[in-house]
Amino acid sequence: SYPTVTLLPTEGGWYAVLQVPGVRSEEQLVLDILEHDRVLVQPGYFFDFPHEAFLVVSLLPEPAVFETAMRQVLTTAS
């Protein structure tokens, strides 16, 4: 359970949006996740979110790969 991270409602598509604590910039968080977890996510500002902090993740990976990656992302982002 990651109570500080919220999954935004979706209506379909290939991406999910997570609202995360704004304790560091989206850019720094994305770089930390890439460096430490070896997982690529997109910052919300790429998608014109009006404020921080959001992460956009692809829903296309195989389920086992996605689950492992998301556990890493959620741990780092929390």
Side-chain angles (χ1 to χ4, degrees):
S1 176
Y2 302 91
T4 61
V5 177
T6 303
L7 175 64
L8 272 58
T10 60
E11 295 181 12
W14 303 114
Y15 298 100
V17 179
L18 306 171
Q19 186 169 15
V20 298
V23 296
R24 55 191 148 173
S25 72
E26 289 175 344
E27 183 173 350
Q28 186 60 56
L29 179 56
V30 167
L31 291 173
D32 289 347
I33 290 168
L34 181 59
E35 181 179 338
H36 297 127
D37 303 320
R38 317 253 322 138
V39 177
L40 180 61
V41 298
Q42 303 298 322
Y45 69 81
F46 278 10
F47 296 84
D48 295 325
F49 281 88
H51 58 83
E52 295 196 3
F54 296 93
L55 298 176
V56 180
V57 299
S58 173
L59 299 175
L60 295 177
E62 293 295 324
V65 172
F66 181 80
E67 181 179 354
T68 299
M70 288 309 303
R71 287 184 194 279
Q72 294 170 311
V73 167
L74 292 170
T75 298
T76 301
S78 294

